[in-house]
Amino acid sequence: MVSILILTKNEEQDLPGCLASVSWSDDIHVFDSFSDDQTVVIAENAGATITQRNFDNWSAHQNWGLANIKFKHPWVLYIDADERVSDSLYSAIKNLKLDTNSEVVAYEIRRRDFAWNGKWLKYSQMSPFYLRLFRPDKMRYERLVNPVSIPDGVVDKVEGFLDHYPFSKGFKFWIQRHLSYADMEALTRVKDLEKGTSFSLKKALFSSDFTEKRYHQKGIFYKMPGRPLIKWFYMVIIRRAFLDGSAGITYATLQSIYEYFIVLKSSELIKQKK
């Protein structure tokens, strides 16, 4: 059996569906950032264990949760409230031989992002693989936002899909959330500049570890001029977001606007430090 970890902050809309998709687990933990809606009540009614902590940044919050929450099982499946464990993923997890004596400490899971109209953004999606099934004592996170998973051991893959509905609360919420993400991405960018953090082109292009590859790609990408336009071109032309129809083009445009938010905020922070 696998323990479940769900991070929440005012998730009364999405949490019921999320909890229903993991109702097969006998150890569900809701790690809440002091919601002021019905999130905690919904979690309690579903029999979940509630842990609360003030949110500071993503990696610190996640690392604290893994270190302090008392999970019943040695393996944890981490999901967000706007995500759902599909039947295919549940079947794959159920058939896994999760052994603490194995060198494997984490599994990559493929995520499907869905647009506001219910269409799978098959070609538009930027990062389809995430380390979401792992041993908590063998996992840590880095970066203030969009954290990088750092496993202490071998990574394998598990079949099935983790379904993600980022527009479940509408466009306004998506934009507001990404404005806050841009603040933390910009702060990360400025800190990297101050520390002289280096990124490897070789790892960005050829690393077999998807998480490591994404980390170095993001670091190199932040050094490039015209990032919003590059991102739009990459998503629409190279990743063929146009094959997802108008939803794909719109999603690529939104992601490019988000990139522009990061550019503006980074410039603002750099000027403030001069």
Side-chain angles (χ1 to χ4, degrees):
M1 190 64 75
V2 172
S3 295
I4 306 295
L5 176 63
I6 306 170
L7 270 64
T8 59
K9 171 66 175 181
N10 293 338
E11 292 288 359
E12 64 181 8
Q13 175 182 311
D14 289 336
L15 187 57
C18 178
L19 289 168
S21 76
V22 295
S23 60
W24 42 267
S25 173
D26 65 349
D27 188 44
I28 300 174
H29 293 263
V30 171
F31 186 23
D32 183 69
S33 299
F34 292 98
S35 296
D36 53 21
D37 63 358
Q38 294 298 303
T39 295
V40 172
V41 174
I42 292 168
E44 289 175 339
N45 289 341
T49 300
I50 315 297
T51 302
Q52 291 187 301
R53 177 183 183 270
N54 284 316
F55 182 87
D56 43 7
N57 65 70
W58 282 98
S59 59
H61 197 64
Q62 290 169 312
N63 288 333
W64 188 96
L66 297 188
N68 292 278
I69 293 175
K70 305 301 180 185
F71 298 106
K72 180 178 179 180
H73 304 293
W75 287 84
V76 168
L77 176 65
Y78 161 45
I79 63 176
D80 291 326
D82 60 357
E83 295 174 334
R84 308 286 182 267
V85 174
S86 67
D87 290 340
S88 62
L89 178 57
Y90 169 56
S91 296
I93 292 174
K94 185 171 61 174
N95 293 324
L96 277 178
K97 291 181 172 59
L98 297 174
D99 186 357
T100 55
N101 294 320
S102 170
E103 61 180 4
V104 176
V105 300
Y107 287 89
E108 282 186 354
I109 295 175
R110 187 177 183 186
R111 193 172 77 175
R112 291 188 294 197
D113 286 355
F114 288 87
W116 47 95
N117 60 2
K119 182 180 180 60
W120 175 22
L121 296 166
K122 184 176 181 180
Y123 298 94
S124 315
Q125 187 172 345
M126 291 293 291
S127 302
F129 294 101
Y130 295 84
L131 294 178
R132 293 299 195 86
L133 179 61
F134 50 76
R135 289 176 52 188
D137 59 324
K138 298 291 185 179
M139 180 64 71
R140 64 182 175 86
Y141 296 95
E142 293 182 357
R143 297 187 88 252
L144 301 178
V145 65
N146 295 318
V148 177
S149 306
I150 311 293
D152 182 18
V154 175
V155 172
D156 203 348
K157 289 186 177 180
V158 62
E159 297 298 319
F161 293 99
L162 180 65
D163 292 338
H164 180 217
Y165 299 89
F167 296 95
S168 61
K169 299 183 184 71
F171 284 99
K172 181 179 179 180
F173 181 85
W174 190 94
I175 291 170
Q176 288 174 334
R177 171 175 280 184
H178 281 74
L179 277 169
S180 67
Y181 288 173
D183 286 343
M184 288 187 279
E185 285 284 7
L187 184 58
T188 299
R189 167 63 176 150
V190 171
K191 285 185 175 181
D192 284 342
L193 287 172
E194 290 175 343
K195 294 187 295 184
T197 303
S198 61
F199 299 94
S200 168
L201 181 60
K202 181 179 179 180
K203 290 180 178 179
L205 294 175
F206 304 112
S207 176
S208 59
D209 184 328
F210 179 81
T211 302
E212 180 181 58
K213 188 175 185 178
R214 182 167 172 254
Y215 171 75
H216 287 277
Q217 284 176 344
K218 186 181 284 287
I220 291 172
F221 181 55
Y222 278 170
K223 296 181 178 181
M224 300 173 68
R227 293 202 319 270
L229 291 176
I230 293 172
K231 190 169 189 176
W232 192 91
F233 182 86
Y234 171 75
M235 291 183 69
V236 174
I237 306 301
I238 297 178
R239 291 195 64 86
R240 300 176 295 167
F242 64 88
L243 293 177
D244 290 326
S246 60
I249 300 295
T250 302
Y251 185 62
T253 302
L254 286 170
Q255 285 288 343
S256 300
I257 292 170
Y258 166 51
E259 201 64 46
Y260 191 49
F261 290 160
I262 300 173
V263 171
L264 292 176
K265 187 61 180 181
S266 297
S267 298
E268 183 179 73
L269 289 176
I270 291 171
K271 288 180 181 178
Q272 289 174 355
K273 290 180 177 292
K274 288 183 178 179

